[in-house]
Amino acid sequence: MFPRSIGRTFKKIFSDISPNTDQEFIKKYQISRQRTTIAVKFLLLLIIVPLLTHQLSKRIFILPLVEKMRTENSHLIFLNQEMEKEAFHELKIFRAELKFKSLLDSEWKNSPENVESKIKEKAIELAAKFRDKSANAISNIFADIIALITFALVIVFSAKDIISLQHFVDQIVYGLSDSAKAFLIILSTDVFVGFHSPHGWEIILEGFAEHLGLPASRNYIFMFIATFPVILDTIVKYWIFRYLSRLSPSALATLKEMND
């Protein structure tokens, strides 16, 4: 006989004037605070534990073991040709600096023997530098694997904490206004799949390749940039069309207005 909204309104009024309202509010607040505390601790755990595992495993046993193995093979200095080219370039610049100083300063004179001695010292210094760089890159590979295994174990043994974290994230997302949701969607899509995103992806991939001691092949990098952001953009558009229109139609309308 009556609309459901009227029933919900009366139900809310009766719950507000109930003598147990304060106790129920305090109980809900305590539960919400407890969930938030668990979620924040679990989020910090997901970040800190893999990082500590990576650094400790690398410094304690992986890096010393790699350095010992590479010391036995002292002729192995470079992991790839890019490291070798970088070392040769630095040595070439050092040789040019010596010649430049000798041309500018008439009092600065060196015999060819002294020049060759300084160049040899620089070459030994560069060899030690790139030998350490190569050992560090090899250690990063094994330390990253151990950190990923640790991350997976933390997730496997923390099922209840994952539920609290999901509730915490949902509470933050649903608590945002429609304008804030649209702003975050536009910001994230422009950063990762926007017009200027290829430069960022290029820097990230080059840094990742250097971290693992891999050659930063321009062809593979450009191939990745030409495919992955496009796939990511398609997934985002499908998510907006499929789910955002159902979860928050007003946010979708705000997003369209901001894009226009």
Side-chain angles (χ1 to χ4, degrees):
M1 294 178 63
F2 300 99
R4 293 182 180 179
S5 59
I6 296 178
R8 287 196 298 265
T9 303
F10 279 108
K11 185 177 180 180
K12 186 177 184 303
I13 293 173
F14 289 137
S15 64
D16 290 340
I17 64 177
S18 174
N20 298 325
T21 301
D22 294 339
Q23 296 179 358
E24 292 179 358
F25 177 79
I26 294 173
K27 185 178 180 180
K28 289 180 180 179
Y29 172 75
Q30 290 176 347
I31 294 174
S32 177
R33 184 177 64 178
Q34 184 179 4
R35 285 180 176 177
T36 302
T37 304
I38 294 173
V40 172
K41 288 182 179 179
F42 179 63
L43 185 61
L44 293 175
L45 194 69
L46 284 177
I47 298 173
I48 294 175
V49 171
L51 288 177
L52 285 178
T53 305
H54 181 279
Q55 293 299 321
L56 292 177
S57 62
K58 178 182 175 181
R59 300 298 176 186
I60 293 176
F61 65 92
I62 295 178
L63 187 58
L65 183 62
V66 172
E67 288 178 347
K68 181 179 179 181
M69 294 178 61
R70 289 184 64 84
T71 302
E72 297 174 356
N73 300 309
S74 57
H75 61 284
L76 298 175
I77 299 175
F78 308 104
L79 283 180
N80 51 63
Q81 293 184 353
E82 290 191 1
M83 285 188 179
E84 189 174 358
K85 290 179 181 178
E86 185 179 353
F88 292 164
H89 182 67
E90 291 188 22
L91 188 63
K92 184 178 180 181
I93 291 177
F94 180 76
R95 186 191 295 268
E97 287 178 353
L98 292 178
K99 185 175 182 180
F100 184 74
K101 289 179 181 179
S102 64
L103 292 175
L104 290 181
D105 192 355
S106 58
E107 296 180 357
W108 194 88
K109 294 181 179 180
N110 272 325
S111 62
E113 293 79 9
N114 291 334
V115 172
E116 290 299 324
S117 176
K118 290 184 178 181
I119 294 175
K120 184 177 180 180
E121 292 177 359
K122 184 65 176 179
I124 295 174
E125 178 185 344
L126 289 174
K129 173 185 173 182
F130 281 92
R131 186 178 287 111
D132 293 340
K133 190 175 181 180
S134 300
N136 187 63
I138 296 174
S139 302
N140 285 334
I141 297 175
F142 295 100
D144 289 346
I145 295 174
I146 295 175
L148 288 174
I149 294 174
T150 305
F151 182 81
L153 290 176
V154 171
I155 292 178
V156 169
F157 292 104
S158 304
K160 295 181 179 179
D161 296 336
I162 292 175
I163 296 174
S164 298
L165 180 60
Q166 184 179 1
H167 178 77
F168 176 69
V169 173
D170 291 340
Q171 188 177 2
I172 292 177
V173 172
Y174 287 116
L176 295 174
S177 63
D178 296 334
S179 300
K181 292 177 184 176
F183 172 78
L184 291 177
I185 292 173
I186 293 174
L187 178 63
S188 58
T189 52
D190 285 347
V191 168
F192 293 103
V193 296
F195 177 74
H196 299 286
S197 63
H199 304 288
W201 283 112
E202 187 175 351
I203 294 173
I204 292 173
L205 292 174
E206 287 179 353
F208 183 72
E210 184 178 0
H211 175 75
L212 299 179
L214 300 174
S217 175
R218 309 295 294 178
N219 294 331
Y220 290 114
I221 290 176
F222 291 151
M223 185 181 298
F224 179 89
I225 293 174
T227 55
F228 182 75
V230 177
I231 297 173
L232 190 62
D233 183 48
T234 305
I235 294 173
V236 171
K237 289 180 178 178
Y238 177 78
W239 174 81
I240 291 173
F241 171 77
R242 180 72 176 175
Y243 296 102
L244 188 63
S245 59
R246 180 165 49 89
L247 295 175
S248 181
S250 55
L252 180 59
T254 305
L255 179 63
K256 290 181 179 179
E257 290 181 1
M258 292 179 69
N259 281 328
D260 294 339

